[in-house]
Amino acid sequence: MSTANEKPASLSNKSSMETIRSHILADPDGDHHERDNGNAQEGWMVAYLDLMTLLLALFIIMGAVSHSKAGMKMEAPTSPQKSATEGAPVSDNATVQRQGQKKGQENSVERILGSNSLGGVMDYKLSPGQVRLQMHASMLFDAADTNLDKKSLKMIKNIAEVLRNYRGKVEVAGHTDDIPLKRGRFRSNWELSSARAAAVVEALINLGIAQNRLHATGYADTMPLASNATPQGRAKNRRVEFIVEMGPEFLYER
């Protein structure tokens, strides 16, 4: 009886185990849950590593940009002081350039004067914004006189050709020495110098120089070039000047 009763119990236990096993195989939720947790943890680590990689790359780029800007700031003070060709300071190059321009302007004035038979007759001086041409008064006038003869008019014709090479206004300036006038129709060197300048202006207008470019000024003995203590100095001070205002182009040739 006991043996008969034990056999069914064994079969019952075996049946119960099979049932549990079938349930586990049929519904493995517990095992899936563990795998899901493992996959989630692995995915989180991958995302974290990707984020760290991106941050590292960002810091590297920012560091490179900052370093390049710092290098540019360090080089900035020295680079403008060197030229691209010879490595000379810009100030030296500018000086050389100005000297070259002045030399070219002097050559132009000398060429124009020479081509109009005034080379060696008229002196010139260049300064910023103007060119000053001058000649001895004896080349145009007799002593204490303002009349222009044929020889003087030929000289002024050549001067007019020179002035046509310039665009600016022209001041015709008369100068004398400091010897007072004792006789004649002029009471002072002021009147003499002004009358000579006016006579030259009228002659230039008759030769086609626009009158709105011209004006006459008498300076008497107030602007001497040399000492009036010697005959040579007084002769140098008696002169007629043509002061031409210059624009940025300075000079053009027709």
Side-chain angles (χ1 to χ4, degrees):
M1 289 297 294
S2 60
T3 303
N5 292 333
E6 290 176 359
K7 188 174 182 180
S10 175
L11 291 174
S12 176
N13 292 335
K14 184 177 180 180
S15 177
S16 299
M17 292 297 294
E18 291 293 335
T19 302
I20 292 171
R21 183 179 180 184
S22 64
H23 278 296
I24 293 172
L25 292 175
D27 188 17
D29 289 340
D31 186 50
H32 280 311
H33 181 67
E34 291 178 358
R35 284 201 302 268
D36 289 343
N37 289 338
N39 291 336
Q41 184 176 4
E42 182 179 354
W44 179 82
M45 289 296 294
V46 171
Y48 178 77
L49 291 175
D50 288 343
L51 178 61
M52 291 298 102
T53 302
L54 291 175
L55 288 176
L56 179 61
L58 178 61
F59 288 140
I60 292 174
I61 294 173
M62 291 176 64
V65 172
S66 176
H67 180 72
S68 64
K69 288 183 177 180
M72 291 174 61
K73 290 180 180 179
M74 291 176 65
E75 294 178 358
T78 58
S79 57
Q81 297 176 0
K82 301 293 181 179
S83 66
T85 56
E86 299 179 358
V90 173
S91 58
D92 291 347
N93 289 340
T95 300
V96 171
Q97 185 178 8
R98 286 194 297 269
Q99 291 174 346
Q101 290 175 346
K102 184 176 181 180
K103 185 62 178 178
Q105 294 164 359
E106 290 174 349
N107 291 338
S108 295
V109 174
E110 290 175 359
R111 183 170 60 253
I112 292 170
L113 293 178
S115 64
N116 289 283
S117 303
L118 293 172
V121 176
M122 294 193 77
D123 295 327
Y124 69 89
K125 180 180 180 181
L126 300 176
S127 58
Q130 67 175 216
V131 57
R132 184 182 295 263
L133 308 171
Q134 63 184 34
M135 64 173 18
H136 294 297
S138 60
M139 301 293 296
L140 299 174
F141 304 102
D142 291 333
D145 196 3
T146 60
N147 293 322
L148 296 169
D149 57 20
K150 290 182 179 180
K151 181 181 178 181
S152 300
L153 289 173
K154 183 178 180 180
M155 189 76 66
I156 292 179
K157 183 178 179 180
N158 293 336
I159 294 171
E161 292 301 320
V162 170
L163 296 180
R164 288 191 178 95
N165 289 274
Y166 298 84
R167 295 179 176 177
K169 294 184 179 297
V170 182
E171 176 187 2
V172 180
H175 300 269
T176 68
D177 57 28
D178 64 348
I179 303 298
L181 297 177
K182 296 181 180 179
R183 60 183 180 274
R185 59 192 182 101
F186 299 106
R187 295 177 298 174
S188 67
N189 284 321
W190 285 105
E191 288 187 358
L192 177 62
S193 60
S194 300
R196 284 179 170 177
V200 173
V201 165
E202 290 177 1
L204 290 172
I205 292 173
N206 292 334
L207 291 169
I209 302 299
Q211 62 181 355
N212 61 353
R213 289 185 58 197
L214 301 167
H215 65 278
T217 309
Y219 289 96
D221 62 332
T222 61
M223 299 178 65
L225 295 178
S227 173
N228 282 306
T230 64
Q232 295 81 6
R234 290 193 294 272
K236 190 173 184 179
N237 291 333
R238 295 190 295 269
R239 67 195 188 277
V240 177
E241 290 184 329
F242 303 83
I243 301 99
V244 186
E245 298 176 2
M246 307 307 300
E249 77 288 344
F250 188 80
L251 176 69
Y252 77 102
E253 298 183 21
R254 295 178 181 272

PDB file of all heavy atoms in Angstrom, residues 100-128:
ATOM      1  N   GLY A 100      62.141 110.381 -54.059  1.00  0.00           N
ATOM      2  CA  GLY A 100      62.012 110.043 -55.471  1.00  0.00           C
ATOM      3  C   GLY A 100      60.992 110.921 -56.174  1.00  0.00           C
ATOM      4  O   GLY A 100      61.206 111.362 -57.306  1.00  0.00           O
ATOM      5  N   GLN A 101      59.867 111.196 -55.489  1.00  0.00           N
ATOM      6  CA  GLN A 101      58.850 112.064 -56.084  1.00  0.00           C
ATOM      7  C   GLN A 101      59.382 113.477 -56.271  1.00  0.00           C
ATOM      8  O   GLN A 101      59.151 114.106 -57.305  1.00  0.00           O
ATOM      9  CB  GLN A 101      57.610 112.082 -55.189  1.00  0.00           C
ATOM     10  CG  GLN A 101      56.844 110.776 -55.184  1.00  0.00           C
ATOM     11  CD  GLN A 101      55.697 110.793 -54.205  1.00  0.00           C
ATOM     12  OE1 GLN A 101      55.598 111.664 -53.330  1.00  0.00           O
ATOM     13  NE2 GLN A 101      54.802 109.817 -54.311  1.00  0.00           N
ATOM     14  N   LYS A 102      60.106 113.977 -55.268  1.00  0.00           N
ATOM     15  CA  LYS A 102      60.655 115.337 -55.378  1.00  0.00           C
ATOM     16  C   LYS A 102      61.647 115.414 -56.516  1.00  0.00           C
ATOM     17  O   LYS A 102      61.668 116.399 -57.279  1.00  0.00           O
ATOM     18  CB  LYS A 102      61.312 115.738 -54.058  1.00  0.00           C
ATOM     19  CG  LYS A 102      61.824 117.179 -54.075  1.00  0.00           C
ATOM     20  CD  LYS A 102      62.392 117.575 -52.725  1.00  0.00           C
ATOM     21  CE  LYS A 102      62.881 119.029 -52.770  1.00  0.00           C
ATOM     22  NZ  LYS A 102      63.443 119.451 -51.460  1.00  0.00           N
ATOM     23  N   LYS A 103      62.482 114.383 -56.656  1.00  0.00           N
ATOM     24  CA  LYS A 103      63.450 114.377 -57.750  1.00  0.00           C
ATOM     25  C   LYS A 103      62.743 114.360 -59.094  1.00  0.00           C
ATOM     26  O   LYS A 103      63.148 115.060 -60.032  1.00  0.00           O
ATOM     27  CB  LYS A 103      64.364 113.151 -57.613  1.00  0.00           C
ATOM     28  CG  LYS A 103      65.498 113.119 -58.634  1.00  0.00           C
ATOM     29  CD  LYS A 103      66.415 114.310 -58.463  1.00  0.00           C
ATOM     30  CE  LYS A 103      67.582 114.250 -59.447  1.00  0.00           C
ATOM     31  NZ  LYS A 103      68.461 115.440 -59.335  1.00  0.00           N
ATOM     32  N   GLY A 104      61.672 113.587 -59.191  1.00  0.00           N
ATOM     33  CA  GLY A 104      60.907 113.569 -60.438  1.00  0.00           C
ATOM     34  C   GLY A 104      60.279 114.915 -60.739  1.00  0.00           C
ATOM     35  O   GLY A 104      60.247 115.350 -61.899  1.00  0.00           O
ATOM     36  N   GLN A 105      59.782 115.603 -59.700  1.00  0.00           N
ATOM     37  CA  GLN A 105      59.199 116.931 -59.896  1.00  0.00           C
ATOM     38  C   GLN A 105      60.262 117.937 -60.330  1.00  0.00           C
ATOM     39  O   GLN A 105      60.020 118.780 -61.204  1.00  0.00           O
ATOM     40  CB  GLN A 105      58.522 117.377 -58.597  1.00  0.00           C
ATOM     41  CG  GLN A 105      57.317 116.529 -58.224  1.00  0.00           C
ATOM     42  CD  GLN A 105      56.903 116.708 -56.787  1.00  0.00           C
ATOM     43  OE1 GLN A 105      57.524 117.458 -56.033  1.00  0.00           O
ATOM     44  NE2 GLN A 105      55.852 116.013 -56.380  1.00  0.00           N
ATOM     45  N   GLU A 106      61.437 117.856 -59.733  1.00  0.00           N
ATOM     46  CA  GLU A 106      62.524 118.758 -60.137  1.00  0.00           C
ATOM     47  C   GLU A 106      62.909 118.524 -61.602  1.00  0.00           C
ATOM     48  O   GLU A 106      63.125 119.488 -62.348  1.00  0.00           O
ATOM     49  CB  GLU A 106      63.741 118.534 -59.231  1.00  0.00           C
ATOM     50  CG  GLU A 106      63.537 119.018 -57.803  1.00  0.00           C
ATOM     51  CD  GLU A 106      64.708 118.652 -56.913  1.00  0.00           C
ATOM     52  OE1 GLU A 106      65.567 117.849 -57.362  1.00  0.00           O
ATOM     53  OE2 GLU A 106      64.773 119.164 -55.772  1.00  0.00           O
ATOM     54  N   ASN A 107      62.970 117.272 -61.984  1.00  0.00           N
ATOM     55  CA  ASN A 107      63.301 116.968 -63.377  1.00  0.00           C
ATOM     56  C   ASN A 107      62.245 117.527 -64.324  1.00  0.00           C
ATOM     57  O   ASN A 107      62.568 118.029 -65.409  1.00  0.00           O
ATOM     58  CB  ASN A 107      63.436 115.460 -63.570  1.00  0.00           C
ATOM     59  CG  ASN A 107      64.651 114.885 -62.870  1.00  0.00           C
ATOM     60  OD1 ASN A 107      65.615 115.608 -62.587  1.00  0.00           O
ATOM     61  ND2 ASN A 107      64.635 113.595 -62.588  1.00  0.00           N
ATOM     62  N   SER A 108      60.966 117.441 -63.911  1.00  0.00           N
ATOM     63  CA  SER A 108      59.892 117.966 -64.757  1.00  0.00           C
ATOM     64  C   SER A 108      60.003 119.483 -64.915  1.00  0.00           C
ATOM     65  O   SER A 108      59.869 120.019 -66.018  1.00  0.00           O
ATOM     66  CB  SER A 108      58.530 117.605 -64.157  1.00  0.00           C
ATOM     67  OG  SER A 108      58.330 116.212 -64.159  1.00  0.00           O
ATOM     68  N   VAL A 109      60.256 120.195 -63.801  1.00  0.00           N
ATOM     69  CA  VAL A 109      60.383 121.650 -63.869  1.00  0.00           C
ATOM     70  C   VAL A 109      61.576 122.041 -64.738  1.00  0.00           C
ATOM     71  O   VAL A 109      61.477 122.939 -65.586  1.00  0.00           O
ATOM     72  CB  VAL A 109      60.524 122.244 -62.454  1.00  0.00           C
ATOM     73  CG1 VAL A 109      60.805 123.743 -62.530  1.00  0.00           C
ATOM     74  CG2 VAL A 109      59.249 121.989 -61.654  1.00  0.00           C
ATOM     75  N   GLU A 110      62.706 121.390 -64.539  1.00  0.00           N
ATOM     76  CA  GLU A 110      63.898 121.711 -65.332  1.00  0.00           C
ATOM     77  C   GLU A 110      63.656 121.447 -66.819  1.00  0.00           C
ATOM     78  O   GLU A 110      64.105 122.228 -67.677  1.00  0.00           O
ATOM     79  CB  GLU A 110      65.076 120.884 -64.829  1.00  0.00           C
ATOM     80  CG  GLU A 110      65.564 121.304 -63.445  1.00  0.00           C
ATOM     81  CD  GLU A 110      66.646 120.386 -62.915  1.00  0.00           C
ATOM     82  OE1 GLU A 110      67.004 119.418 -63.618  1.00  0.00           O
ATOM     83  OE2 GLU A 110      67.141 120.640 -61.797  1.00  0.00           O
ATOM     84  N   ARG A 111      62.963 120.374 -67.131  1.00  0.00           N
ATOM     85  CA  ARG A 111      62.672 120.056 -68.533  1.00  0.00           C
ATOM     86  C   ARG A 111      61.765 121.111 -69.159  1.00  0.00           C
ATOM     87  O   ARG A 111      61.973 121.543 -70.301  1.00  0.00           O
ATOM     88  CB  ARG A 111      62.041 118.665 -68.624  1.00  0.00           C
ATOM     89  CG  ARG A 111      61.774 118.217 -70.060  1.00  0.00           C
ATOM     90  CD  ARG A 111      61.375 116.758 -70.119  1.00  0.00           C
ATOM     91  NE  ARG A 111      60.162 116.478 -69.358  1.00  0.00           N
ATOM     92  CZ  ARG A 111      60.137 115.850 -68.213  1.00  0.00           C
ATOM     93  NH1 ARG A 111      61.253 115.442 -67.637  1.00  0.00           N
ATOM     94  NH2 ARG A 111      58.980 115.609 -67.602  1.00  0.00           N
ATOM     95  N   ILE A 112      60.747 121.547 -68.406  1.00  0.00           N
ATOM     96  CA  ILE A 112      59.817 122.556 -68.926  1.00  0.00           C
ATOM     97  C   ILE A 112      60.522 123.894 -69.124  1.00  0.00           C
ATOM     98  O   ILE A 112      60.347 124.564 -70.148  1.00  0.00           O
ATOM     99  CB  ILE A 112      58.603 122.701 -67.989  1.00  0.00           C
ATOM    100  CG1 ILE A 112      57.766 121.421 -68.030  1.00  0.00           C
ATOM    101  CG2 ILE A 112      57.752 123.904 -68.367  1.00  0.00           C
ATOM    102  CD1 ILE A 112      56.692 121.370 -66.975  1.00  0.00           C
ATOM    103  N   LEU A 113      61.322 124.288 -68.141  1.00  0.00           N
ATOM    104  CA  LEU A 113      62.054 125.555 -68.277  1.00  0.00           C
ATOM    105  C   LEU A 113      63.024 125.493 -69.457  1.00  0.00           C
ATOM    106  O   LEU A 113      63.127 126.446 -70.241  1.00  0.00           O
ATOM    107  CB  LEU A 113      62.811 125.867 -66.986  1.00  0.00           C
ATOM    108  CG  LEU A 113      61.969 126.188 -65.751  1.00  0.00           C
ATOM    109  CD1 LEU A 113      62.868 126.420 -64.539  1.00  0.00           C
ATOM    110  CD2 LEU A 113      61.082 127.403 -65.988  1.00  0.00           C
ATOM    111  N   GLY A 114      63.724 124.385 -69.575  1.00  0.00           N
ATOM    112  CA  GLY A 114      64.677 124.251 -70.674  1.00  0.00           C
ATOM    113  C   GLY A 114      64.014 124.267 -72.034  1.00  0.00           C
ATOM    114  O   GLY A 114      64.536 124.871 -72.986  1.00  0.00           O
ATOM    115  N   SER A 115      62.858 123.630 -72.148  1.00  0.00           N
ATOM    116  CA  SER A 115      62.175 123.588 -73.445  1.00  0.00           C
ATOM    117  C   SER A 115      61.576 124.938 -73.824  1.00  0.00           C
ATOM    118  O   SER A 115      61.178 125.127 -74.980  1.00  0.00           O
ATOM    119  CB  SER A 115      61.065 122.531 -73.408  1.00  0.00           C
ATOM    120  OG  SER A 115      60.064 122.865 -72.460  1.00  0.00           O
ATOM    121  N   ASN A 116      61.512 125.873 -72.880  1.00  0.00           N
ATOM    122  CA  ASN A 116      60.980 127.211 -73.161  1.00  0.00           C
ATOM    123  C   ASN A 116      62.056 128.295 -73.025  1.00  0.00           C
ATOM    124  O   ASN A 116      61.749 129.458 -72.757  1.00  0.00           O
ATOM    125  CB  ASN A 116      59.815 127.514 -72.216  1.00  0.00           C
ATOM    126  CG  ASN A 116      58.578 126.690 -72.541  1.00  0.00           C
ATOM    127  OD1 ASN A 116      57.857 126.981 -73.484  1.00  0.00           O
ATOM    128  ND2 ASN A 116      58.352 125.645 -71.760  1.00  0.00           N
ATOM    129  N   SER A 117      63.290 127.902 -73.272  1.00  0.00           N
ATOM    130  CA  SER A 117      64.434 128.837 -73.302  1.00  0.00           C
ATOM    131  C   SER A 117      64.603 129.587 -71.981  1.00  0.00           C
ATOM    132  O   SER A 117      65.059 130.728 -71.971  1.00  0.00           O
ATOM    133  CB  SER A 117      64.274 129.843 -74.461  1.00  0.00           C
ATOM    134  OG  SER A 117      64.149 129.161 -75.696  1.00  0.00           O
ATOM    135  N   LEU A 118      64.231 128.965 -70.882  1.00  0.00           N
ATOM    136  CA  LEU A 118      64.375 129.605 -69.575  1.00  0.00           C
ATOM    137  C   LEU A 118      65.325 128.838 -68.657  1.00  0.00           C
ATOM    138  O   LEU A 118      65.472 129.176 -67.490  1.00  0.00           O
ATOM    139  CB  LEU A 118      63.002 129.733 -68.897  1.00  0.00           C
ATOM    140  CG  LEU A 118      62.033 130.701 -69.576  1.00  0.00           C
ATOM    141  CD1 LEU A 118      60.651 130.591 -68.947  1.00  0.00           C
ATOM    142  CD2 LEU A 118      62.534 132.133 -69.503  1.00  0.00           C
ATOM    143  N   GLY A 119      65.950 127.802 -69.194  1.00  0.00           N
ATOM    144  CA  GLY A 119      66.915 127.061 -68.400  1.00  0.00           C
ATOM    145  C   GLY A 119      68.115 127.942 -68.055  1.00  0.00           C
ATOM    146  O   GLY A 119      68.717 128.553 -68.930  1.00  0.00           O
ATOM    147  N   GLY A 120      68.448 128.041 -66.802  1.00  0.00           N
ATOM    148  CA  GLY A 120      69.535 128.902 -66.368  1.00  0.00           C
ATOM    149  C   GLY A 120      69.147 130.356 -66.206  1.00  0.00           C
ATOM    150  O   GLY A 120      69.933 131.160 -65.687  1.00  0.00           O
ATOM    151  N   VAL A 121      67.936 130.728 -66.646  1.00  0.00           N
ATOM    152  CA  VAL A 121      67.452 132.106 -66.526  1.00  0.00           C
ATOM    153  C   VAL A 121      66.550 132.239 -65.305  1.00  0.00           C
ATOM    154  O   VAL A 121      66.637 133.217 -64.553  1.00  0.00           O
ATOM    155  CB  VAL A 121      66.699 132.533 -67.798  1.00  0.00           C
ATOM    156  CG1 VAL A 121      66.114 133.932 -67.641  1.00  0.00           C
ATOM    157  CG2 VAL A 121      67.618 132.459 -69.008  1.00  0.00           C
ATOM    158  N   MET A 122      65.699 131.256 -65.126  1.00  0.00           N
ATOM    159  CA  MET A 122      64.792 131.249 -63.982  1.00  0.00           C
ATOM    160  C   MET A 122      65.270 130.236 -62.950  1.00  0.00           C
ATOM    161  O   MET A 122      65.653 129.117 -63.295  1.00  0.00           O
ATOM    162  CB  MET A 122      63.356 130.901 -64.410  1.00  0.00           C
ATOM    163  CG  MET A 122      62.693 131.928 -65.299  1.00  0.00           C
ATOM    164  SD  MET A 122      60.909 131.641 -65.464  1.00  0.00           S
ATOM    165  CE  MET A 122      60.320 132.269 -63.896  1.00  0.00           C
ATOM    166  N   ASP A 123      65.241 130.644 -61.700  1.00  0.00           N
ATOM    167  CA  ASP A 123      65.463 129.712 -60.597  1.00  0.00           C
ATOM    168  C   ASP A 123      64.117 129.156 -60.149  1.00  0.00           C
ATOM    169  O   ASP A 123      63.062 129.757 -60.417  1.00  0.00           O
ATOM    170  CB  ASP A 123      66.152 130.415 -59.433  1.00  0.00           C
ATOM    171  CG  ASP A 123      67.553 130.882 -59.791  1.00  0.00           C
ATOM    172  OD1 ASP A 123      68.213 130.191 -60.596  1.00  0.00           O
ATOM    173  OD2 ASP A 123      67.974 131.935 -59.281  1.00  0.00           O
ATOM    174  N   TYR A 124      64.138 128.037 -59.455  1.00  0.00           N
ATOM    175  CA  TYR A 124      62.888 127.469 -58.959  1.00  0.00           C
ATOM    176  C   TYR A 124      63.119 126.856 -57.587  1.00  0.00           C
ATOM    177  O   TYR A 124      64.232 126.484 -57.203  1.00  0.00           O
ATOM    178  CB  TYR A 124      62.339 126.417 -59.921  1.00  0.00           C
ATOM    179  CG  TYR A 124      63.159 125.152 -59.989  1.00  0.00           C
ATOM    180  CD1 TYR A 124      62.906 124.082 -59.123  1.00  0.00           C
ATOM    181  CD2 TYR A 124      64.200 125.020 -60.903  1.00  0.00           C
ATOM    182  CE1 TYR A 124      63.659 122.928 -59.169  1.00  0.00           C
ATOM    183  CE2 TYR A 124      64.957 123.872 -60.955  1.00  0.00           C
ATOM    184  CZ  TYR A 124      64.685 122.832 -60.088  1.00  0.00           C
ATOM    185  OH  TYR A 124      65.439 121.691 -60.127  1.00  0.00           O
ATOM    186  N   LYS A 125      62.030 126.749 -56.856  1.00  0.00           N
ATOM    187  CA  LYS A 125      62.056 126.118 -55.549  1.00  0.00           C
ATOM    188  C   LYS A 125      60.749 125.372 -55.348  1.00  0.00           C
ATOM    189  O   LYS A 125      59.668 125.937 -55.539  1.00  0.00           O
ATOM    190  CB  LYS A 125      62.248 127.165 -54.436  1.00  0.00           C
ATOM    191  CG  LYS A 125      62.295 126.561 -53.043  1.00  0.00           C
ATOM    192  CD  LYS A 125      62.495 127.643 -51.981  1.00  0.00           C
ATOM    193  CE  LYS A 125      62.531 127.041 -50.584  1.00  0.00           C
ATOM    194  NZ  LYS A 125      62.702 128.098 -49.542  1.00  0.00           N
ATOM    195  N   LEU A 126      60.850 124.118 -54.966  1.00  0.00           N
ATOM    196  CA  LEU A 126      59.671 123.299 -54.714  1.00  0.00           C
ATOM    197  C   LEU A 126      59.391 123.244 -53.223  1.00  0.00           C
ATOM    198  O   LEU A 126      60.307 123.120 -52.410  1.00  0.00           O
ATOM    199  CB  LEU A 126      59.892 121.876 -55.232  1.00  0.00           C
ATOM    200  CG  LEU A 126      60.181 121.719 -56.735  1.00  0.00           C
ATOM    201  CD1 LEU A 126      60.473 120.265 -57.054  1.00  0.00           C
ATOM    202  CD2 LEU A 126      59.017 122.217 -57.555  1.00  0.00           C
ATOM    203  N   SER A 127      58.132 123.339 -52.872  1.00  0.00           N
ATOM    204  CA  SER A 127      57.705 123.175 -51.487  1.00  0.00           C
ATOM    205  C   SER A 127      56.312 122.554 -51.517  1.00  0.00           C
ATOM    206  O   SER A 127      55.649 122.567 -52.562  1.00  0.00           O
ATOM    207  CB  SER A 127      57.691 124.526 -50.757  1.00  0.00           C
ATOM    208  OG  SER A 127      56.839 125.442 -51.408  1.00  0.00           O
ATOM    209  N   PRO A 128      55.864 121.975 -50.400  1.00  0.00           N
ATOM    210  CA  PRO A 128      54.544 121.336 -50.404  1.00  0.00           C
ATOM    211  C   PRO A 128      53.444 122.286 -50.862  1.00  0.00           C
ATOM    212  O   PRO A 128      53.250 123.350 -50.296  1.00  0.00           O
ATOM    213  CB  PRO A 128      54.350 120.924 -48.938  1.00  0.00           C
ATOM    214  CG  PRO A 128      55.736 120.747 -48.429  1.00  0.00           C
ATOM    215  CD  PRO A 128      56.550 121.810 -49.109  1.00  0.00           C
TER     216      PRO A 128
END
